[in-house]
Amino acid sequence: MSGPSDYQPSNPALQWIERRLPILGLVHSSFVVYPTPRNLNYWWTFGAILSFMLGMQILTGVILAMHYTPHADLAFKSVELLVRDVNYGWLLRNMHACGASMFFFAVYIHMLRGLYYGSYKEPREVLWILGVVIYLLMMATGFMGYVLPWGQMSFWGATVITNLFSAIPYVGESIVTLLWGGYSVGNPTLNRFFSLHYLLPFLIAGVVVLHVWALHVAGQNNPDGVEPKTEKDTVPFTPHATIKDGFGVACFLLLYAWFIFYMPNYLGDADNYIPANPGVTPPHIVPEWYYLPFYAILRSIPNKLAGVIGMFSAIIILCFLPWLDAAKTRSSKYRPLAKQFFWIFVAVCILLGYLGAQPPEGIYVIAGRVLTVCYFAYFLIVLPLLSRIETPRPVPNSISEAILAKGGKAVASVAVILVAAVALFLGSLGDARANEGSDRPPGNKWSFAGPFGKYDRGALQRGLKVYKEVCSSCHGLSFIAFRNLAEAGGPGYSVAQAAAFASDYKVKDGPNDAGDMFERPGRPADYFPSPFPNEQAARAANGGAAPPDLSLITKARSYGRGFPMFIIDFFTQYQEQGPDYVAALLQGFEEKVPEGVTIPEGSYYNKYFPGHAIKMPKPLSDGQVTYDDGSPATVAQYSKDVTTFLMWTAEPHMEARKRLGFQVFVFLIIFAFLMYFTKKKVWADSH
Amino acid sequence: MNPDASTIAAGAPIEVDLSPVAEGQDIKVFWRGKPIYISHRTKKQIDEARAVNVASLPDPQSDEARVKSGHEQWLVVIGICTHLGCIPIAHEGNYDGFFCPCHGSQYDSSGRIRQGPAPANLPVPPYQFVSDTKIQIG
């Protein structure tokens, strides 16, 4: 893409093609001999990382779409079943869901790098604007993808975001109807979002081609912001940039794999494991972390239309950046004031992200307003003003001069900043799950916690017994089939035992030849029958509160960890909020209601239930279930066993996930080292 | 991309029997995928709604204009917050009406916005009384 190539393949067949379609010459001139500045640092590898992530998202997404059903009644179940039944379905889903977060993480670094080093300045304005277009498309794609699992957050996120358009005067309501395809968010909405979620990544890929094209016409910017002048200033793209990008991708993969294999739900919201319910709004609607700064801007403006305009202009303003900042010096390295304001701006964005996850009340609203003003002031006041008053330090005459002057600076700071940024920025979500004034569940020692965690087979078998004898009279377990009991990583029953267990149940089947429904003994392929035929029956039989299905309960419940625990959790891999809560709830019933708490008729006091008034009576008492293996028949033991069992029902492939994760990590670490030493060798003469 | 024929057909009017709803209670029915709150208001709630100076409201509308005359005790509103579409909770907030848990909007016992970011009152769906104890929505 940098002018006509004089590349001539030696192979006659390739020569034949090259004369008719000079594609090899194009690749050769763009990615092999293409001159890349010698002084690029590791922040420049994020372009390659982003291309890699886009490819990854498209690849995993296409396979996921083969197993997904875009229908309001079936979508949630199809996602759960693809995680459970499709070969490596759990891996595909984790890669795709965490991949979206990593994609945004990389794009934010990429954008901030452009901001710091002035990569948007003449002659790279179009390159920068194409980047903003890609970012907008990514936001739309990410939002629609989040709707597809059709959980509570999916549904209510879709409701809130589509309602943003109703703020537009005159045509707003019609636009919202067009987005919905009905009178509210529903099945037609899900269908069109699925279609668009499949389409948009290919549009992104198209704009990426334009982005790279514009890059290769204007040439890459570099940390010193001076254009390459002689051949000494550049190195050929291959092998220098290729191997360096390869090393960058390998390091990035380590972070990505940490999420995929060890913290797959860290960035998600527990509420999204509850199927969408148009009649109940979750107490806190929080978007995915990558939208939080803009969500905070939206909420800090008290007028609806102005809030929506504020939110969108926070992104659109980036398009005008090349003209807002008129300073001649590109790189902030040589702009002492701009450098300081840049870091203040980064802090403002992170704080806005934190506020976006907080409830909109009190001090948070005021702080949000102050920071919103700061955000816009950076673009509208600080940058235009700085370009007039700031005296930049002298810029080196050439890139080679800059390299000689510096003598190679350490790159270790990159890693430190990376880790700190991950912890702070991605983790800000954790605080969103507010505590609602309940006591915090005590932590437990779970056999399945940590990077090598495994389920305790005995506990799984005992937990199954507790579920069958106690819980199953009110709670369903609809995503678990009897065959699962014999699968690897489960309670460890044989196929014959699972079949015998199934035959104890009566399962409704039919219609038979006479057109009647009939009951037959269960088979391994059947799912656990639910105690009530539908939600209304369950509600009617239980005083108005439907007992939730327990298949996913340990993932669908959580509690706020608060600052700074959620940052520490990222490193310790703590993700047992759900099991801790369930175990605490089962033991949290107390006869004596503390003073100041009123429990309505037909409810019971529970120390750990949000609001303390629970409709479920105390389910377990000592000696209620007989254990054959000599374990103590106490409420504490029952709770622990049944919680372990329910963790397994929520994630039957957890052992496989952690086992594969270890193998992947060993491989990636070796790979990254090899890449590093190869890179060192390749660059030995160039520094 | 507008709603298809079956979606429009499913949005036909519905009838709701009000006789089981006691004073001070309310029910939620779904029409066109939207929750509709039908409140049987107490004397106190009606008085509160009528005592307000209409001109001081963010979205001025009298209580009389929001209910059917002769059936003042019945308030029928679409239970979707006019801010960003969450579902407010009935019998909560400072105004004896509705409270939206998402962004803190508060509505009074006539479904009018009193506090918070929502720009407008809870809309009243088209409905009429078929008999004293039955309404048709739509």
Side-chain angles (χ1 to χ4, degrees), chain A residues 612-652:
Chain A
H612 298 303
I614 189 169
K615 280 276 185 184
M616 172 170 78
K618 186 173 189 288
L620 296 165
S621 48
D622 289 344
Q624 191 177 357
V625 180
T626 354
Y627 279 158
D628 313 324
D629 62 355
S631 302
T634 58
V635 171
Q637 185 67 33
Y638 293 152
S639 310
K640 213 167 170 201
D641 290 342
V642 82
T643 307
T644 306
F645 173 70
L646 291 176
M647 189 65 225
W648 172 73
T649 63
E651 199 180 353

mmCIF file of all heavy atoms in Angstrom, chain A residues 612-652:
data_model
loop_
_atom_site.group_PDB
_atom_site.id
_atom_site.type_symbol
_atom_site.label_atom_id
_atom_site.label_comp_id
_atom_site.label_asym_id
_atom_site.label_seq_id
_atom_site.Cartn_x
_atom_site.Cartn_y
_atom_site.Cartn_z
ATOM 1 N N HIS A 612 -33.581 -8.938 54.184
ATOM 2 C CA HIS A 612 -33.775 -9.849 55.323
ATOM 3 C C HIS A 612 -35.082 -10.624 55.336
ATOM 4 O O HIS A 612 -35.206 -11.592 56.060
ATOM 5 C CB HIS A 612 -33.636 -9.108 56.661
ATOM 6 C CG HIS A 612 -32.272 -8.526 56.861
ATOM 7 N ND1 HIS A 612 -31.136 -9.291 56.817
ATOM 8 C CD2 HIS A 612 -31.872 -7.255 57.065
ATOM 9 C CE1 HIS A 612 -30.093 -8.509 56.996
ATOM 10 N NE2 HIS A 612 -30.505 -7.267 57.144
ATOM 11 N N ALA A 613 -36.109 -10.217 54.560
ATOM 12 C CA ALA A 613 -37.391 -10.937 54.609
ATOM 13 C C ALA A 613 -37.458 -11.886 53.426
ATOM 14 O O ALA A 613 -37.606 -11.464 52.281
ATOM 15 C CB ALA A 613 -38.546 -9.950 54.571
ATOM 16 N N ILE A 614 -37.335 -13.189 53.687
ATOM 17 C CA ILE A 614 -37.327 -14.179 52.620
ATOM 18 C C ILE A 614 -38.594 -15.015 52.724
ATOM 19 O O ILE A 614 -39.089 -15.278 53.819
ATOM 20 C CB ILE A 614 -36.039 -15.046 52.702
ATOM 21 C CG1 ILE A 614 -35.892 -15.939 51.476
ATOM 22 C CG2 ILE A 614 -35.992 -15.867 53.987
ATOM 23 C CD1 ILE A 614 -34.535 -16.604 51.374
ATOM 24 N N LYS A 615 -39.124 -15.409 51.570
ATOM 25 C CA LYS A 615 -40.371 -16.187 51.555
ATOM 26 C C LYS A 615 -40.117 -17.666 51.849
ATOM 27 O O LYS A 615 -41.029 -18.399 52.203
ATOM 28 C CB LYS A 615 -41.039 -16.054 50.185
ATOM 29 C CG LYS A 615 -41.820 -14.769 50.016
ATOM 30 C CD LYS A 615 -43.219 -14.910 50.597
ATOM 31 C CE LYS A 615 -44.037 -13.655 50.297
ATOM 32 N NZ LYS A 615 -45.356 -13.728 50.939
ATOM 33 N N MET A 616 -38.869 -18.103 51.655
ATOM 34 C CA MET A 616 -38.558 -19.523 51.866
ATOM 35 C C MET A 616 -38.400 -19.782 53.357
ATOM 36 O O MET A 616 -37.621 -19.112 54.016
ATOM 37 C CB MET A 616 -37.261 -19.877 51.125
ATOM 38 C CG MET A 616 -36.739 -21.275 51.428
ATOM 39 S SD MET A 616 -35.400 -21.764 50.330
ATOM 40 C CE MET A 616 -34.018 -20.882 51.034
ATOM 41 N N PRO A 617 -39.171 -20.737 53.923
ATOM 42 C CA PRO A 617 -38.934 -21.087 55.327
ATOM 43 C C PRO A 617 -37.603 -21.807 55.466
ATOM 44 O O PRO A 617 -37.052 -22.310 54.484
ATOM 45 C CB PRO A 617 -40.102 -22.004 55.672
ATOM 46 C CG PRO A 617 -40.631 -22.497 54.379
ATOM 47 C CD PRO A 617 -40.242 -21.533 53.307
ATOM 48 N N LYS A 618 -37.087 -21.866 56.662
ATOM 49 C CA LYS A 618 -35.809 -22.540 56.915
ATOM 50 C C LYS A 618 -35.855 -23.951 56.331
ATOM 51 O O LYS A 618 -36.662 -24.778 56.751
ATOM 52 C CB LYS A 618 -35.597 -22.613 58.425
ATOM 53 C CG LYS A 618 -34.254 -23.150 58.849
ATOM 54 C CD LYS A 618 -34.126 -23.009 60.365
ATOM 55 C CE LYS A 618 -32.749 -23.316 60.880
ATOM 56 N NZ LYS A 618 -32.393 -24.712 60.842
ATOM 57 N N PRO A 619 -35.032 -24.220 55.295
ATOM 58 C CA PRO A 619 -35.200 -25.483 54.567
ATOM 59 C C PRO A 619 -34.511 -26.668 55.225
ATOM 60 O O PRO A 619 -34.936 -27.801 55.050
ATOM 61 C CB PRO A 619 -34.579 -25.193 53.211
ATOM 62 C CG PRO A 619 -33.546 -24.137 53.482
ATOM 63 C CD PRO A 619 -33.993 -23.369 54.681
ATOM 64 N N LEU A 620 -33.427 -26.437 55.955
ATOM 65 C CA LEU A 620 -32.609 -27.551 56.448
ATOM 66 C C LEU A 620 -32.586 -27.547 57.965
ATOM 67 O O LEU A 620 -32.539 -26.497 58.592
ATOM 68 C CB LEU A 620 -31.174 -27.416 55.933
ATOM 69 C CG LEU A 620 -30.965 -27.513 54.420
ATOM 70 C CD1 LEU A 620 -29.591 -27.016 54.043
ATOM 71 C CD2 LEU A 620 -31.171 -28.930 53.946
ATOM 72 N N SER A 621 -32.634 -28.735 58.554
ATOM 73 C CA SER A 621 -32.417 -28.840 59.996
ATOM 74 C C SER A 621 -31.569 -30.073 60.256
ATOM 75 O O SER A 621 -31.517 -30.995 59.420
ATOM 76 C CB SER A 621 -33.745 -28.907 60.738
ATOM 77 O OG SER A 621 -34.578 -29.850 60.119
ATOM 78 N N ASP A 622 -30.909 -30.090 61.398
ATOM 79 C CA ASP A 622 -29.980 -31.183 61.699
ATOM 80 C C ASP A 622 -30.663 -32.549 61.614
ATOM 81 O O ASP A 622 -31.790 -32.712 62.072
ATOM 82 C CB ASP A 622 -29.399 -30.992 63.104
ATOM 83 C CG ASP A 622 -28.428 -29.815 63.151
ATOM 84 O OD1 ASP A 622 -28.000 -29.384 62.058
ATOM 85 O OD2 ASP A 622 -28.128 -29.339 64.248
ATOM 86 N N GLY A 623 -29.978 -33.486 60.998
ATOM 87 C CA GLY A 623 -30.478 -34.857 60.940
ATOM 88 C C GLY A 623 -31.545 -35.117 59.900
ATOM 89 O O GLY A 623 -32.059 -36.227 59.789
ATOM 90 N N GLN A 624 -31.874 -34.106 59.095
ATOM 91 C CA GLN A 624 -32.971 -34.231 58.139
ATOM 92 C C GLN A 624 -32.650 -35.217 57.011
ATOM 93 O O GLN A 624 -33.513 -35.956 56.555
ATOM 94 C CB GLN A 624 -33.232 -32.852 57.555
ATOM 95 C CG GLN A 624 -34.497 -32.745 56.747
ATOM 96 C CD GLN A 624 -34.697 -31.302 56.285
ATOM 97 O OE1 GLN A 624 -33.930 -30.411 56.617
ATOM 98 N NE2 GLN A 624 -35.753 -31.079 55.527
ATOM 99 N N VAL A 625 -31.405 -35.209 56.565
ATOM 100 C CA VAL A 625 -30.984 -36.109 55.489
ATOM 101 C C VAL A 625 -29.964 -37.071 56.071
ATOM 102 O O VAL A 625 -29.063 -36.650 56.791
ATOM 103 C CB VAL A 625 -30.347 -35.305 54.333
ATOM 104 C CG1 VAL A 625 -29.909 -36.224 53.208
ATOM 105 C CG2 VAL A 625 -31.312 -34.254 53.821
ATOM 106 N N THR A 626 -30.115 -38.361 55.770
ATOM 107 C CA THR A 626 -29.162 -39.340 56.303
ATOM 108 C C THR A 626 -28.016 -39.506 55.321
ATOM 109 O O THR A 626 -28.240 -39.726 54.139
ATOM 110 C CB THR A 626 -29.830 -40.721 56.498
ATOM 111 O OG1 THR A 626 -31.221 -40.578 56.225
ATOM 112 C CG2 THR A 626 -29.609 -41.242 57.884
ATOM 113 N N TYR A 627 -26.812 -39.374 55.831
ATOM 114 C CA TYR A 627 -25.621 -39.581 55.002
ATOM 115 C C TYR A 627 -25.118 -41.003 55.211
ATOM 116 O O TYR A 627 -25.085 -41.495 56.339
ATOM 117 C CB TYR A 627 -24.527 -38.594 55.407
ATOM 118 C CG TYR A 627 -24.685 -37.208 54.818
ATOM 119 C CD1 TYR A 627 -24.083 -36.113 55.422
ATOM 120 C CD2 TYR A 627 -25.401 -36.999 53.646
ATOM 121 C CE1 TYR A 627 -24.192 -34.844 54.889
ATOM 122 C CE2 TYR A 627 -25.515 -35.725 53.109
ATOM 123 C CZ TYR A 627 -24.916 -34.651 53.728
ATOM 124 O OH TYR A 627 -25.031 -33.410 53.193
ATOM 125 N N ASP A 628 -24.699 -41.672 54.118
ATOM 126 C CA ASP A 628 -24.208 -43.049 54.226
ATOM 127 C C ASP A 628 -22.718 -43.086 54.538
ATOM 128 O O ASP A 628 -22.195 -44.113 54.941
ATOM 129 C CB ASP A 628 -24.443 -43.799 52.906
ATOM 130 C CG ASP A 628 -25.850 -43.586 52.399
ATOM 131 O OD1 ASP A 628 -26.755 -43.508 53.253
ATOM 132 O OD2 ASP A 628 -26.044 -43.464 51.169
ATOM 133 N N ASP A 629 -22.007 -41.970 54.300
ATOM 134 C CA ASP A 629 -20.547 -42.041 54.397
ATOM 135 C C ASP A 629 -20.016 -41.516 55.729
ATOM 136 O O ASP A 629 -18.816 -41.275 55.865
ATOM 137 C CB ASP A 629 -19.904 -41.284 53.234
ATOM 138 C CG ASP A 629 -20.268 -39.806 53.240
ATOM 139 O OD1 ASP A 629 -21.088 -39.409 54.093
ATOM 140 O OD2 ASP A 629 -19.756 -39.067 52.391
ATOM 141 N N GLY A 630 -20.890 -41.319 56.678
ATOM 142 C CA GLY A 630 -20.425 -40.928 58.003
ATOM 143 C C GLY A 630 -20.159 -39.454 58.182
ATOM 144 O O GLY A 630 -19.690 -39.031 59.238
ATOM 145 N N SER A 631 -20.443 -38.635 57.155
ATOM 146 C CA SER A 631 -20.275 -37.189 57.321
ATOM 147 C C SER A 631 -21.319 -36.687 58.320
ATOM 148 O O SER A 631 -22.410 -37.243 58.403
ATOM 149 C CB SER A 631 -20.479 -36.466 55.996
ATOM 150 O OG SER A 631 -19.568 -36.946 55.048
ATOM 151 N N PRO A 632 -20.993 -35.629 59.068
ATOM 152 C CA PRO A 632 -21.938 -35.145 60.076
ATOM 153 C C PRO A 632 -23.248 -34.670 59.441
ATOM 154 O O PRO A 632 -23.229 -33.971 58.431
ATOM 155 C CB PRO A 632 -21.196 -33.990 60.751
ATOM 156 C CG PRO A 632 -20.083 -33.644 59.843
ATOM 157 C CD PRO A 632 -19.727 -34.869 59.086
ATOM 158 N N ALA A 633 -24.362 -35.077 60.034
ATOM 159 C CA ALA A 633 -25.676 -34.700 59.505
ATOM 160 C C ALA A 633 -26.109 -33.375 60.130
ATOM 161 O O ALA A 633 -27.052 -33.318 60.919
ATOM 162 C CB ALA A 633 -26.696 -35.806 59.784
ATOM 163 N N THR A 634 -25.373 -32.308 59.812
ATOM 164 C CA THR A 634 -25.675 -31.007 60.394
ATOM 165 C C THR A 634 -26.045 -30.029 59.280
ATOM 166 O O THR A 634 -25.732 -30.262 58.106
ATOM 167 C CB THR A 634 -24.445 -30.440 61.109
ATOM 168 O OG1 THR A 634 -23.381 -30.356 60.153
ATOM 169 C CG2 THR A 634 -24.015 -31.323 62.262
ATOM 170 N N VAL A 635 -26.688 -28.935 59.677
ATOM 171 C CA VAL A 635 -27.076 -27.917 58.693
ATOM 172 C C VAL A 635 -25.841 -27.361 57.990
ATOM 173 O O VAL A 635 -25.836 -27.159 56.775
ATOM 174 C CB VAL A 635 -27.877 -26.789 59.387
ATOM 175 C CG1 VAL A 635 -28.086 -25.626 58.429
ATOM 176 C CG2 VAL A 635 -29.209 -27.307 59.867
ATOM 177 N N ALA A 636 -24.753 -27.142 58.766
ATOM 178 C CA ALA A 636 -23.536 -26.601 58.174
ATOM 179 C C ALA A 636 -23.008 -27.521 57.078
ATOM 180 O O ALA A 636 -22.629 -27.063 55.984
ATOM 181 C CB ALA A 636 -22.481 -26.388 59.254
ATOM 182 N N GLN A 637 -22.993 -28.819 57.360
ATOM 183 C CA GLN A 637 -22.486 -29.774 56.381
ATOM 184 C C GLN A 637 -23.420 -29.867 55.172
ATOM 185 O O GLN A 637 -22.965 -29.884 54.023
ATOM 186 C CB GLN A 637 -22.328 -31.146 57.050
ATOM 187 C CG GLN A 637 -21.687 -32.208 56.174
ATOM 188 C CD GLN A 637 -20.227 -31.888 55.863
ATOM 189 O OE1 GLN A 637 -19.521 -31.299 56.684
ATOM 190 N NE2 GLN A 637 -19.769 -32.262 54.682
ATOM 191 N N TYR A 638 -24.732 -29.899 55.431
ATOM 192 C CA TYR A 638 -25.698 -29.936 54.330
ATOM 193 C C TYR A 638 -25.503 -28.736 53.407
ATOM 194 O O TYR A 638 -25.485 -28.857 52.179
ATOM 195 C CB TYR A 638 -27.144 -29.878 54.859
ATOM 196 C CG TYR A 638 -27.608 -31.090 55.644
ATOM 197 C CD1 TYR A 638 -28.597 -30.951 56.618
ATOM 198 C CD2 TYR A 638 -27.094 -32.358 55.401
ATOM 199 C CE1 TYR A 638 -29.056 -32.037 57.343
ATOM 200 C CE2 TYR A 638 -27.532 -33.444 56.131
ATOM 201 C CZ TYR A 638 -28.518 -33.288 57.100
ATOM 202 O OH TYR A 638 -28.949 -34.351 57.812
ATOM 203 N N SER A 639 -25.366 -27.561 54.037
ATOM 204 C CA SER A 639 -25.256 -26.339 53.232
ATOM 205 C C SER A 639 -24.032 -26.391 52.350
ATOM 206 O O SER A 639 -24.065 -26.052 51.169
ATOM 207 C CB SER A 639 -25.154 -25.110 54.130
ATOM 208 O OG SER A 639 -26.164 -25.128 55.082
ATOM 209 N N LYS A 640 -22.932 -26.834 52.948
ATOM 210 C CA LYS A 640 -21.684 -26.879 52.195
ATOM 211 C C LYS A 640 -21.784 -27.866 51.029
ATOM 212 O O LYS A 640 -21.369 -27.583 49.914
ATOM 213 C CB LYS A 640 -20.556 -27.287 53.143
ATOM 214 C CG LYS A 640 -19.291 -26.624 52.741
ATOM 215 C CD LYS A 640 -18.187 -26.673 53.719
ATOM 216 C CE LYS A 640 -16.987 -26.147 52.917
ATOM 217 N NZ LYS A 640 -15.731 -26.501 53.438
ATOM 218 N N ASP A 641 -22.383 -29.031 51.330
ATOM 219 C CA ASP A 641 -22.483 -30.061 50.292
ATOM 220 C C ASP A 641 -23.397 -29.619 49.159
ATOM 221 O O ASP A 641 -23.071 -29.744 47.990
ATOM 222 C CB ASP A 641 -23.010 -31.362 50.904
ATOM 223 C CG ASP A 641 -21.989 -32.006 51.823
ATOM 224 O OD1 ASP A 641 -20.798 -31.645 51.718
ATOM 225 O OD2 ASP A 641 -22.371 -32.849 52.648
ATOM 226 N N VAL A 642 -24.556 -29.072 49.520
ATOM 227 C CA VAL A 642 -25.510 -28.734 48.464
ATOM 228 C C VAL A 642 -24.982 -27.537 47.664
ATOM 229 O O VAL A 642 -25.203 -27.437 46.455
ATOM 230 C CB VAL A 642 -26.928 -28.503 49.040
ATOM 231 C CG1 VAL A 642 -27.096 -27.108 49.613
ATOM 232 C CG2 VAL A 642 -27.980 -28.765 47.982
ATOM 233 N N THR A 643 -24.214 -26.652 48.303
ATOM 234 C CA THR A 643 -23.633 -25.526 47.574
ATOM 235 C C THR A 643 -22.578 -26.021 46.592
ATOM 236 O O THR A 643 -22.509 -25.557 45.446
ATOM 237 C CB THR A 643 -23.020 -24.518 48.544
ATOM 238 O OG1 THR A 643 -24.000 -24.165 49.507
ATOM 239 C CG2 THR A 643 -22.567 -23.273 47.824
ATOM 240 N N THR A 644 -21.750 -26.972 47.043
ATOM 241 C CA THR A 644 -20.774 -27.562 46.125
ATOM 242 C C THR A 644 -21.481 -28.185 44.932
ATOM 243 O O THR A 644 -21.085 -27.988 43.777
ATOM 244 C CB THR A 644 -19.946 -28.638 46.856
ATOM 245 O OG1 THR A 644 -19.388 -28.063 48.023
ATOM 246 C CG2 THR A 644 -18.845 -29.180 45.982
ATOM 247 N N PHE A 645 -22.565 -28.912 45.226
ATOM 248 C CA PHE A 645 -23.327 -29.534 44.142
ATOM 249 C C PHE A 645 -23.876 -28.479 43.184
ATOM 250 O O PHE A 645 -23.808 -28.633 41.966
ATOM 251 C CB PHE A 645 -24.474 -30.372 44.746
ATOM 252 C CG PHE A 645 -25.413 -30.928 43.728
ATOM 253 C CD1 PHE A 645 -25.006 -31.938 42.863
ATOM 254 C CD2 PHE A 645 -26.710 -30.438 43.610
ATOM 255 C CE1 PHE A 645 -25.878 -32.448 41.907
ATOM 256 C CE2 PHE A 645 -27.586 -30.942 42.659
ATOM 257 C CZ PHE A 645 -27.167 -31.949 41.810
ATOM 258 N N LEU A 646 -24.378 -27.383 43.740
ATOM 259 C CA LEU A 646 -24.963 -26.346 42.888
ATOM 260 C C LEU A 646 -23.898 -25.578 42.117
ATOM 261 O O LEU A 646 -24.169 -25.037 41.046
ATOM 262 C CB LEU A 646 -25.821 -25.388 43.722
ATOM 263 C CG LEU A 646 -27.093 -26.024 44.272
ATOM 264 C CD1 LEU A 646 -27.837 -25.052 45.153
ATOM 265 C CD2 LEU A 646 -27.994 -26.519 43.148
ATOM 266 N N MET A 647 -22.672 -25.530 42.651
ATOM 267 C CA MET A 647 -21.589 -24.932 41.879
ATOM 268 C C MET A 647 -21.299 -25.817 40.673
ATOM 269 O O MET A 647 -21.048 -25.315 39.565
ATOM 270 C CB MET A 647 -20.345 -24.782 42.764
ATOM 271 C CG MET A 647 -19.230 -23.977 42.131
ATOM 272 S SD MET A 647 -19.702 -22.253 41.848
ATOM 273 C CE MET A 647 -19.106 -22.006 40.198
ATOM 274 N N TRP A 648 -21.362 -27.107 40.898
ATOM 275 C CA TRP A 648 -21.141 -28.018 39.767
ATOM 276 C C TRP A 648 -22.250 -27.871 38.726
ATOM 277 O O TRP A 648 -21.974 -27.833 37.528
ATOM 278 C CB TRP A 648 -21.061 -29.468 40.263
ATOM 279 C CG TRP A 648 -21.031 -30.443 39.126
ATOM 280 C CD1 TRP A 648 -20.000 -30.688 38.275
ATOM 281 C CD2 TRP A 648 -22.118 -31.256 38.676
ATOM 282 N NE1 TRP A 648 -20.365 -31.603 37.320
ATOM 283 C CE2 TRP A 648 -21.664 -31.969 37.555
ATOM 284 C CE3 TRP A 648 -23.433 -31.464 39.115
ATOM 285 C CZ2 TRP A 648 -22.478 -32.869 36.865
ATOM 286 C CZ3 TRP A 648 -24.236 -32.353 38.425
ATOM 287 C CH2 TRP A 648 -23.758 -33.043 37.311
ATOM 288 N N THR A 649 -23.502 -27.762 39.180
ATOM 289 C CA THR A 649 -24.590 -27.623 38.197
ATOM 290 C C THR A 649 -24.448 -26.309 37.424
ATOM 291 O O THR A 649 -24.845 -26.222 36.270
ATOM 292 C CB THR A 649 -25.982 -27.635 38.861
ATOM 293 O OG1 THR A 649 -26.098 -26.506 39.724
ATOM 294 C CG2 THR A 649 -26.220 -28.892 39.645
ATOM 295 N N ALA A 650 -23.880 -25.289 38.074
ATOM 296 C CA ALA A 650 -23.714 -24.011 37.382
ATOM 297 C C ALA A 650 -22.561 -24.079 36.402
ATOM 298 O O ALA A 650 -22.559 -23.393 35.383
ATOM 299 C CB ALA A 650 -23.477 -22.882 38.380
ATOM 300 N N GLU A 651 -21.547 -24.888 36.706
ATOM 301 C CA GLU A 651 -20.413 -24.981 35.794
ATOM 302 C C GLU A 651 -19.845 -26.387 35.794
ATOM 303 O O GLU A 651 -18.838 -26.670 36.441
ATOM 304 C CB GLU A 651 -19.331 -23.963 36.167
ATOM 305 C CG GLU A 651 -18.424 -23.759 34.984
ATOM 306 C CD GLU A 651 -17.323 -22.769 35.220
ATOM 307 O OE1 GLU A 651 -17.301 -22.111 36.268
ATOM 308 O OE2 GLU A 651 -16.470 -22.686 34.337
ATOM 309 N N PRO A 652 -20.469 -27.289 35.032
ATOM 310 C CA PRO A 652 -20.029 -28.694 35.052
ATOM 311 C C PRO A 652 -18.618 -28.883 34.483
ATOM 312 O O PRO A 652 -17.971 -29.877 34.779
ATOM 313 C CB PRO A 652 -21.061 -29.419 34.179
ATOM 314 C CG PRO A 652 -22.098 -28.440 33.830
ATOM 315 C CD PRO A 652 -21.625 -27.070 34.160
#
